[in-house]
Amino acid sequence: MGLPTEIIFTKGAGLWLGVEWDNPEQGKHDGSHEGTVYFKCRHPTGGSFIRPNKVNFGVDFLTAIKNRYVLEDESKEEETEQIVIIGNKPVETIGFDSVIKQQSQLSKLQDVSLRNCAVNGAGDKGGIAKACPNIRSIDLSKNLLSSWEQVIDIANQLKHLEVLNLSENKLTFPSSSPSPTGTFSMLKVLVLNRTEITWAEVLCCASGWPVLEKLYLESNNIVISERPTDVLQTVKLLDLSSNQLIDENQLFLIAYLPRLEQLILSDIGISSIHFPDAGIGCKTSMFPSLQYLVLNDNQIAQWSFMNELDKLQSLHALSCTRNPLTEGSKDAQTTRQFIIARIGQLRTLNKCAIEPEERRGAELDYRKAFGNEWKKAGGHQDPEKNRPNKEFLKAHPRYQALCLKYGAPEDGELKTQQPFLLRNQLLTLKIKYPNQLDQKVTEKQLPESMTVQKVKGLLSRLLKVPVSELLLSYESPKMPGKEIELENDLQSLQFYSVENGDCLLVRW
């Protein structure tokens, strides 16, 4: 429940207060009674009238700190009598040592959590600065703070404050007068989730956050209405999750924040993006420092979205779970491969590192999967005749680069129109034993879906060598001089892109 409104009135016997609930399902009306509007609610059922003795008006910051962090005296019997000189007069004190102990406890506090402690303001002027001046991190989420001015009153007394969480406080923010200079001079992390702040209010207050690095604005119904020019220039992480009104055009307004490295856009409903300043195979000037992008729980259903992400010059990590594109396919591994192949600089996908072997396999599979389409569009093994049409290049902007990297797909690779149905295709492989000169080179046919573990089991029986001692790798005529280790026993030969004519190297 939020703080009660200032309306106090007589309804029946005694006094009643009008309140608006954080959860409108708990209320009964919009602040009206018998045709009279006593207060206004943002939701037609968000209001209630309740008795004053049922309302928690909260406590000040310092009281909440003491309630949570000051240890109670072990026993009154332990209180000692002391003589203290005040001026020229000796004064007897009892329990003075416990007061000193409490003050010592508070002065040492650096990380403070007052979540859901009914904090309603700073309290006595200067009290916080005197009692706990070394606080660096505060969680003030889900309290009874009602205005940004109250937050400033607290922050003004904490000169070392670096982390501040104000989530789930129904705050009113200034829209014209910025925060006083110096109040948040050390602040690096600010969390304003579910505070109902607007974008205009963010920009207004942001002038008072000169070194801010991380800003969390989840679930505020934000519409990005203007470009930040002189503010937010130090921000490295921006979380705009669950703001369903944000679209790709609004994102372009924050595309030139110079230090933005992490952008969290989960659950904003986005389905498309296009960087108009960059053509096929080119990099955009937008989001120049962006390294990590989170797009979970959105409406991404087209591969063109991934093609556009390849235009981001610094993107190294992507999370895009629970989207139609990633959830609709029955073959999650193929989807992962196609994302990796389409975004060339990606190093991490959905928090899983992309090893060089996985990238190579993904790109080779992608190159094979769309080889027939490439040929029909004008692709050719002869570089002078290789001119795929614009439609193909738009759908597969990295395909030409992959052909340069691995060579154009040969006709023998493209005989089958449906590559995903060839899970049990037999591969003819040469088998060599580099450390055993007396062993002759042999040839075997193995299913490409066969795991490394099963290949080892087969070789173990043939060679009479324990599985645990076998080490496998392979060489490809397409990449002479390079040996690729088959290090994961649970992966298939296909995962490592082993093909017909490759040579399996067996050591023990």
Side-chain angles (χ1 to χ4, degrees):
M1 181 181 73
L3 280 172
T5 69
E6 297 179 357
I7 305 298
I8 301 178
F9 67 99
T10 300
K11 180 176 79 73
L15 293 177
W16 296 78
L17 299 179
V19 299
E20 181 176 3
W21 300 89
D22 291 340
N23 180 3
E25 294 181 1
Q26 293 181 263
K28 296 181 179 179
H29 49 69
D30 62 354
S32 303
H33 176 64
E34 295 181 351
T36 301
V37 178
Y38 291 96
F39 66 99
K40 293 183 178 180
C41 290
R42 284 159 289 192
H43 193 278
T45 62
S48 294
F49 298 118
I50 61 176
R51 294 293 191 181
N53 62 351
K54 300 291 186 181
V55 176
N56 180 3
F57 288 91
V59 296
D60 63 75
F61 182 93
L62 201 52
T63 298
I65 285 273
K66 290 177 179 177
N67 288 344
R68 173 156 288 191
Y69 290 97
V70 173
L71 297 175
E72 296 181 359
D73 294 337
E74 295 180 3
S75 170
K76 289 185 179 180
E77 295 178 0
E78 294 182 4
E79 292 179 348
T80 58
E81 182 177 303
Q82 293 183 347
I83 304 297
V84 179
I85 305 299
I86 300 178
N88 295 321
K89 296 181 180 181
V91 178
E92 293 183 1
T93 66
I94 296 177
F96 195 72
D97 55 341
S98 67
V99 173
I100 294 174
K101 183 179 179 182
Q102 290 180 2
Q103 290 177 341
S104 176
Q105 288 172 349
L106 295 179
S107 67
K108 292 178 181 178
L109 286 176
Q110 293 189 13
D111 299 322
V112 171
S113 177
L114 295 178
R115 177 174 171 80
N116 203 20
C117 287
V119 176
N120 62 14
D124 295 337
K125 187 175 181 180
I128 299 173
K130 184 177 180 181
C132 40
N134 292 311
I135 290 178
R136 283 170 165 72
S137 173
I138 310 175
D139 183 351
L140 280 170
S141 60
K142 207 171 184 179
N143 277 290
L144 300 178
L145 298 169
S146 60
S147 71
W148 187 245
E149 285 74 18
Q150 292 174 336
V151 175
I152 290 174
D153 289 342
I154 295 171
N156 266 333
Q157 301 182 59
L158 300 171
K159 301 305 179 184
H160 304 290
L161 186 62
E162 296 180 3
V163 180
L164 177 58
N165 187 347
L166 296 166
S167 299
E168 298 178 85
N169 286 279
K170 301 302 180 185
L171 298 169
T172 57
F173 295 87
S175 56
S176 56
S177 56
S179 302
T181 303
T183 301
F184 301 101
S185 60
M186 301 286 288
L187 192 66
K188 295 181 179 178
V189 181
L190 179 58
V191 188
L192 294 171
N193 300 336
R194 294 175 291 283
T195 57
E196 301 186 358
I197 192 170
T198 67
W199 185 250
E201 291 165 348
V202 169
L203 298 187
C204 177
C205 295
S207 60
W209 312 329
V211 297
L212 191 69
E213 295 181 358
K214 298 180 179 181
L215 178 59
Y216 297 84
L217 298 171
E218 180 182 336
S219 301
N220 284 304
N221 289 319
I222 280 177
V223 173
I224 302 176
S225 52
E226 58 182 297
R227 179 177 171 178
T229 51
D230 300 324
V231 295
L232 303 181
Q233 303 300 296
T234 59
V235 168
K236 296 180 180 180
L237 182 152
L238 180 60
D239 186 351
L240 293 168
S241 298
S242 300
N243 288 289
Q244 294 282 336
L245 301 177
I246 293 177
D247 59 27
E248 63 174 305
N249 292 321
Q250 293 177 44
L251 293 177
F252 295 155
L253 294 174
I254 59 170
Y256 295 98
L257 291 175
R259 299 184 64 188
L260 185 62
E261 297 175 357
Q262 300 184 53
L263 181 58
I264 306 174
L265 300 174
S266 295
D267 188 34
I268 66 168
I270 193 169
S271 60
S272 64
I273 196 163
H274 175 64
F275 300 108
D277 65 325
I280 295 172
C282 299
K283 299 296 183 183
T284 177
S285 61
M286 298 185 183
F287 298 103
S289 301
L290 187 62
Q291 299 177 22
Y292 182 32
L293 179 61
V294 180
L295 292 166
N296 301 331
D297 301 291
N298 279 295
Q299 301 301 317
I300 301 167
Q302 302 295 326
W303 284 111
S304 58
F305 200 110
M306 300 302 158
N307 294 340
E308 289 296 310
L309 295 186
D310 186 56
K311 295 179 180 180
L312 293 169
Q313 55 188 290
S314 302
L315 186 67
H316 294 150
L318 173 67
S319 289
C320 57
T321 59
R322 297 180 296 279
N323 279 275
L325 185 66
T326 57
E327 300 300 309
S329 172
K330 294 180 180 180
D331 193 338
Q333 181 61 32
T334 298
T335 301
R336 177 177 171 86
Q337 286 184 311
F338 280 9
I339 293 174
I340 293 170
R342 288 173 186 267
I343 307 177
Q345 69 274 26
L346 213 56
R347 299 174 189 168
T348 304
L349 177 57
N350 297 332
K351 298 185 178 180
C352 293
I354 302 168
E355 301 297 338
E357 293 83 1
E358 184 181 13
R359 171 160 292 285
R360 178 179 181 276
E363 292 179 341
L364 284 172
D365 279 358
Y366 179 84
R367 168 179 155 278
K368 183 191 296 185
F370 295 98
N372 283 309
E373 188 177 333
W374 167 75
K375 286 190 69 176
K376 290 179 181 178
H380 200 281
Q381 282 87 1
D382 184 346
E384 294 184 3
K385 299 178 181 179
N386 181 24
R387 295 185 182 85
N389 58 36
K390 291 182 179 179
E391 288 75 14
F392 180 86
L393 293 177
K394 183 178 180 182
H396 304 280
R398 287 201 73 227
Y399 199 90
Q400 293 288 79
L402 296 180
C403 288
L404 289 174
K405 184 175 182 180
Y406 299 108
E410 298 175 1
D411 291 339
E413 298 179 78
L414 307 178
K415 287 181 180 178
T416 304
Q417 296 287 338
Q418 299 177 350
F420 307 130
L421 301 179
L422 295 180
R423 298 304 182 197
N424 293 310
Q425 177 182 337
L426 292 177
L427 302 175
T428 301
L429 305 175
K430 293 179 181 179
I431 301 180
K432 292 182 181 180
Y433 309 92
N435 298 340
Q436 310 294 328
L437 299 179
D438 58 329
Q439 292 280 356
K440 295 182 179 180
V441 176
T442 58
E443 195 169 87
K444 285 284 183 185
Q445 284 192 324
L446 301 175
E448 66 177 7
S449 60
M450 196 172 191
T451 64
V452 174
Q453 187 175 41
K454 289 183 178 180
V455 175
K456 285 183 175 180
L458 174 64
L459 292 169
S460 173
R461 291 190 294 273
L462 291 174
L463 300 168
K464 309 301 181 185
V465 176
V467 170
S468 59
E469 296 182 15
L470 292 176
L471 298 174
L472 301 186
S473 58
Y474 83 96
E475 294 176 332
S476 172
K478 295 180 180 178
M479 301 184 71
K482 185 171 183 180
E483 185 175 334
I484 298 166
E485 184 180 352
L486 306 180
E487 57 185 1
N488 190 335
D489 284 357
L490 300 180
Q491 294 290 1
S492 66
L493 296 175
Q494 183 189 44
F495 174 82
Y496 287 105
S497 298
V498 179
E499 298 179 341
N500 269 320
D502 288 350
C503 184
L504 199 62
L505 305 175
V506 186
R507 294 182 175 90
W508 65 90

